[in-house]
Amino acid sequence: MGESTSPISVILVSSGSRGNKLLFRFPFQRGAEHPAAQANKPRSRYAVNSSGDTTEDQDGDSRQLQPTRDNPTSGLLQVKQQKWLRCVDGGCATKRDQCPLTDEQLVSGFSDVILATILATKSDMCGKKFELKIDNVRFVGHPTLLQHALGQVSKTDPSPKREMPTMILFNVVFALRANADPSVINCLHNLSRRIAIVLQHEERRCQYLTREAKLILAIQDEVSAMSETTEGPQSPFHHILPKCKLARDLKETYDSLCTTGVVRLHINNWLEVSFCLPHKIHYVATNFIPPEAIERSLKSIRPYHALLLLNDEKSLLNELPLDCSPALVRVIKTTSAVKNLQQLAQDADLALLQVFQLAAHLVYWGKAIIIYPLCENNVYMLSPNASVCLYSPLADAFSCQFRGHNLPSMLSKFSLPVSLSEFKNPLAPPVQETQLIQMVIWMLQHRLLIQLHTYVCLMVPPNEEDFRAPDEDMPFTARVGGRSLSTPNALSFGSPTSSDDMTLTSPSMDNSSAELIPGGDSPLNKRMTENLLASLLEHEREAILNVPAAQNPEDLRMFARLLHYFRGRHHLEEIMYNENMRRSQLLMLFDKFRSVLVVTSHEDPVISVFQSLLK
């Protein structure tokens, strides 16, 4: 996973009055391998030339094959072709097949001159996504044009003594493996664009980029002069790193992307750049979860879900920037594992839509997960990805957190699906129940447990006479009388509906007012029930009407009203919320019509992506 999501290198190039320059690259080559180390070093005429012909200069490309501005890769392709021919003649092609190139070797094959030529684009390409693939390396960046380019400084500039900048454009480029996932490429392009915007702002404000570029170029010239007389470390980037703040920021960006995936920079000690690579935070085993899957789950958040913080409140608040939203601080201080998002919005005095957005923000950054609020009816079982080692770090952390308890014995209680009500002991002190809730929360935070929900499916065996009916092949979801089979639009993520209009009853459900009509045996109620059952096949209606509970008009009307939920895609808690019904009412109805209903238990696909994550 590290090779496919981590960048190979970060490169900063510029274009201006001094031509195309590679200002900084990290990781940089070692001193002995850097081209500047061999720039003017005398060579013995009897020395073996391992790189092939002696017609190449220190940059790896001959004078007649120098890339041009119109065709920057022409010389590069010819040089690579000559190197490939020499490798075949020397018998190194087989070795390369046997020993794949490392990340460092992939980028070290490109000299500074070649990288500066191909990555410093023309002005027409600025402000757009830059992506270039050469052999096994893919370069991704966002070239940016500076506002005050050479010769474009306004005549009305109030500071006439300010020196005219010599830089026209710059590009912060990330090098990746050619087979990197497209989502990783898009994320790193987003990071490059953010850094470019900040650098452009600082250049307009105080010419920060121009100062750093002058410092870098001066150090490069100094190192080049030193290489003529000494044989010390010849890499200019080795000397640039401790003296240049921008170079250290780029190095920190590279290190953060390769380790945690969270980048926090303060460019020029002024503007903050925050970035999160979700592939480093959200993954299962060795496979990362695509950001698209996370976004789909976040858009499916409902008011009956809850937000579970993965860290304690104090440490999470310390990680927030100084200028963070006060609403985010309020949500973090108010959230609880036993409180759904609708209650959280009321306690925090925020709109429900804003709570959705803040919850999605915390989940995306890996600071929280979405769960169903803890209650005694919740059913949990051991996660298939849980670590059950006796002496694992998690077991030690659990023992330190809860004295007198060990993790393996606690996990053994959830080997089979079990409800929290089974752990309830009326004779036990309240402290024991509180500790049980804290242990369940701890195991949910570390993805050791998964929650199972109850789903109901209508399953009536077909009659032999109706086996060849034309409507038999039609799916059940298409035969439910044009009813809306999805969750109400008013509850969808990003809905413009105000939180004040969000009640426990769902007004968007068709025919949900059938139970409000007085008189169970009224002709209107019978007609509405018949209309709901008319979408079923003949043998399905007969099987339902033959159930003894169907003789009760109240039960039959309730069954018909909930018919569109009986397709295995809506769990019991969702039906309770949408229809404002109690659990006991639904369970009693399921029991009465058990001859035509099949009850199953499995994970909620909306939150299963969060419960299965491993860090």
Side-chain angles (χ1 to χ4, degrees):
M1 184 184 66
E3 292 185 357
S4 60
T5 59
S6 300
I8 301 176
S9 176
V10 58
I11 306 167
L12 175 63
V13 297
S14 66
S15 178
S17 59
R18 296 184 59 177
N20 302 329
K21 294 293 182 180
L22 188 143
L23 299 179
F24 184 74
R25 63 190 293 184
F26 187 85
F28 45 79
Q29 303 172 14
R30 298 182 180 89
E33 298 175 355
H34 196 270
Q38 302 177 358
N40 296 310
K41 186 180 294 185
R43 287 179 55 85
S44 171
R45 68 180 62 186
Y46 303 107
V48 178
N49 185 9
S50 59
S51 61
D53 268 336
T54 58
T55 57
E56 286 186 314
D57 60 8
Q58 65 272 16
D59 291 325
D61 52 345
S62 58
R63 184 179 302 274
Q64 64 271 19
L65 297 179
Q66 189 74 14
T68 61
R69 186 66 173 172
D70 296 332
N71 192 1
T73 60
S74 59
L76 173 66
L77 297 178
Q78 296 181 44
V79 170
K80 284 186 168 293
Q81 185 177 8
Q82 289 186 2
K83 289 184 177 181
W84 180 80
L85 291 175
R86 287 195 292 269
C87 284
V88 174
D89 295 338
C92 66
T94 305
K95 295 180 180 179
R96 179 170 298 183
D97 295 337
Q98 295 176 353
C99 301
L101 297 178
T102 62
D103 292 349
E104 183 180 357
Q105 292 172 342
L106 284 175
V107 183
S108 62
F110 298 92
S111 65
D112 295 350
V113 174
I114 291 178
L115 287 177
T117 303
I118 64 178
L119 299 182
T121 62
K122 295 182 179 180
S123 301
D124 298 339
M125 300 181 61
C126 291
K128 305 175 183 177
K129 180 181 180 180
F130 173 82
E131 185 174 346
L132 176 65
K133 176 181 174 296
I134 301 178
D135 292 343
N136 295 325
V137 183
R138 187 184 301 271
F139 299 95
V140 181
H142 191 85
T144 304
L145 186 68
L146 297 178
Q147 184 179 14
H148 298 295
L150 182 60
Q152 296 180 359
V153 179
S154 175
K155 297 180 180 179
T156 61
D157 194 341
S159 56
K161 294 182 180 180
R162 176 182 294 181
E163 185 179 356
M164 247 189 330
T166 59
M167 188 183 303
I168 299 177
L169 60 90
F170 67 95
N171 193 7
V172 179
V173 183
F174 293 98
L176 300 166
R177 287 187 173 269
N179 59 351
D181 191 85
S183 59
V184 178
I185 298 175
N186 293 333
C187 288
L188 291 185
H189 167 253
N190 185 22
L191 175 58
S192 175
R193 182 179 59 86
R194 294 187 183 188
I195 297 177
I197 292 175
V198 173
L199 290 178
Q200 185 185 47
H201 178 274
E202 289 301 284
E203 175 65 21
R204 296 173 182 173
R205 186 178 69 90
C206 60
Q207 291 186 326
Y208 170 72
L209 187 58
T210 299
R211 294 200 314 266
E212 295 293 288
K214 286 183 177 180
L215 176 62
I216 291 175
L217 294 177
I219 297 176
Q220 290 181 355
D221 295 340
E222 181 181 353
V223 172
S224 298
M226 291 173 52
S227 63
E228 299 178 359
T229 57
T230 63
E231 296 185 1
Q234 301 301 321
S235 173
F237 309 116
H238 178 76
H239 299 273
I240 291 172
L241 202 55
K243 299 179 181 180
C244 179
K245 174 67 166 58
L246 180 57
R248 293 195 297 272
D249 289 339
L250 294 178
K251 177 184 179 298
E252 181 182 353
T253 301
Y254 173 83
D255 293 337
S256 299
L257 290 175
C258 294
T259 53
T260 62
V262 177
V263 178
R264 297 183 184 274
L265 299 177
H266 283 84
I267 302 296
N268 196 20
N269 295 322
W270 183 250
L271 293 181
E272 183 180 6
V273 176
S274 299
F275 174 80
C276 169
L277 186 62
H279 308 77
K280 291 286 185 178
I281 298 178
H282 307 287
Y283 60 90
V284 177
T286 58
N287 300 322
F288 66 84
I289 299 179
E292 296 80 8
I294 301 175
E295 292 176 2
R296 285 195 302 268
S297 296
L298 292 178
K299 291 180 180 179
S300 302
I301 296 177
R302 297 295 179 260
Y304 54 79
H305 285 138
L307 186 67
L308 177 62
L309 300 179
L310 298 181
N311 299 322
D312 60 286
E313 176 185 324
K314 184 177 180 180
S315 61
L316 186 56
L317 292 176
N318 293 333
E319 295 179 6
L320 297 179
L322 297 177
D323 58 344
C324 69
S325 171
L328 181 60
V329 178
R330 210 182 311 169
V331 166
I332 294 176
K333 291 183 177 180
T334 313
T335 186
S336 172
V338 297
K339 187 185 303 182
N340 61 34
L341 295 180
Q342 189 171 17
Q343 296 173 345
L344 176 61
Q346 295 173 356
D347 295 344
D349 195 19
L350 297 172
L352 183 60
L353 177 59
Q354 188 177 9
V355 172
F356 280 167
Q357 295 172 343
L358 295 175
H361 177 76
L362 291 173
V363 172
Y364 187 83
W365 279 78
K367 304 301 180 182
I369 58 175
I370 300 298
I371 62 171
Y372 187 81
L374 266 69
C375 64
E376 62 180 11
N377 294 312
N378 288 5
V379 177
Y380 296 99
M381 71 172 297
L382 186 64
S383 172
N385 299 317
S387 175
V388 293
C389 299
L390 295 178
Y391 305 103
S392 64
L394 283 179
D396 297 337
F398 185 86
S399 300
C400 295
Q401 183 79 15
F402 306 100
R403 299 292 182 179
H405 299 273
N406 61 86
L407 184 60
S409 62
M410 192 64 189
L411 292 179
S412 64
K413 299 178 181 179
F414 295 92
S415 299
L416 297 176
V418 57
S419 174
L420 293 183
S421 59
E422 299 184 18
F423 295 96
K424 190 174 182 179
N425 185 2
L427 302 180
V431 180
Q432 184 176 347
E433 183 178 352
T434 303
Q435 189 179 36
L436 173 64
I437 295 176
Q438 295 299 326
M439 288 190 290
V440 172
I441 291 176
W442 190 93
M443 289 185 288
L444 288 175
Q445 288 176 333
H446 294 81
R447 281 83 164 184
L448 299 177
L449 299 179
I450 59 175
Q451 183 177 358
L452 302 182
H453 295 267
T454 301
Y455 294 82
V456 182
C457 299
L458 177 66
M459 186 170 295
V460 179
N463 293 337
E464 296 181 358
E465 299 177 357
D466 300 334
F467 185 75
R468 295 181 178 86
D471 295 338
E472 185 68 21
D473 298 332
M474 187 179 301
F476 174 71
T477 57
R479 292 187 276 110
V480 185
R483 296 277 306 272
S484 173
L485 297 180
S486 59
T487 307
N489 294 331
L491 304 180
S492 61
F493 178 78
S495 172
T497 305
S498 172
S499 62
D500 297 334
D501 300 330
M502 194 74 64
T503 59
L504 288 178
T505 44
S506 176
S508 62
M509 278 296 178
D510 300 337
N511 301 327
S512 60
S513 60
E515 64 176 354
L516 302 179
I517 300 177
D521 297 332
S522 64
L524 181 59
N525 284 337
K526 292 182 178 179
R527 188 161 56 252
M528 293 179 63
T529 304
E530 293 175 358
N531 292 336
L532 292 175
L533 297 178
S535 59
L536 302 175
L537 298 178
E538 182 64 27
H539 76 278
E540 292 176 337
R541 288 196 300 269
E542 292 180 359
I544 294 174
L545 295 177
N546 289 333
V547 176
Q551 305 304 320
N552 187 343
E554 293 288 341
D555 293 338
L556 182 60
R557 184 169 60 255
M558 183 183 298
F559 181 88
R561 182 166 60 88
L562 302 178
L563 184 62
H564 62 287
Y565 290 112
F566 301 154
R567 58 191 182 96
R569 295 188 179 181
H570 303 273
H571 54 75
L572 184 62
E573 289 78 9
E574 182 178 359
I575 303 175
M576 291 168 52
Y577 179 84
N578 292 339
E579 298 295 333
N580 195 20
M581 299 179 63
R582 295 182 179 179
R583 183 185 300 269
S584 58
Q585 289 179 286
L586 290 177
L587 294 179
M588 188 178 301
L589 181 68
F590 298 161
D591 182 68
K592 292 179 179 180
F593 289 88
R594 61 182 179 273
S595 59
V596 293
L597 295 179
V598 175
V599 179
T600 60
S601 297
H602 58 82
E603 296 179 81
D604 183 2
V606 174
I607 62 177
S608 62
V609 65
F610 308 118
Q611 292 182 341
S612 301
L613 301 182
L614 294 178
K615 301 197 72 175

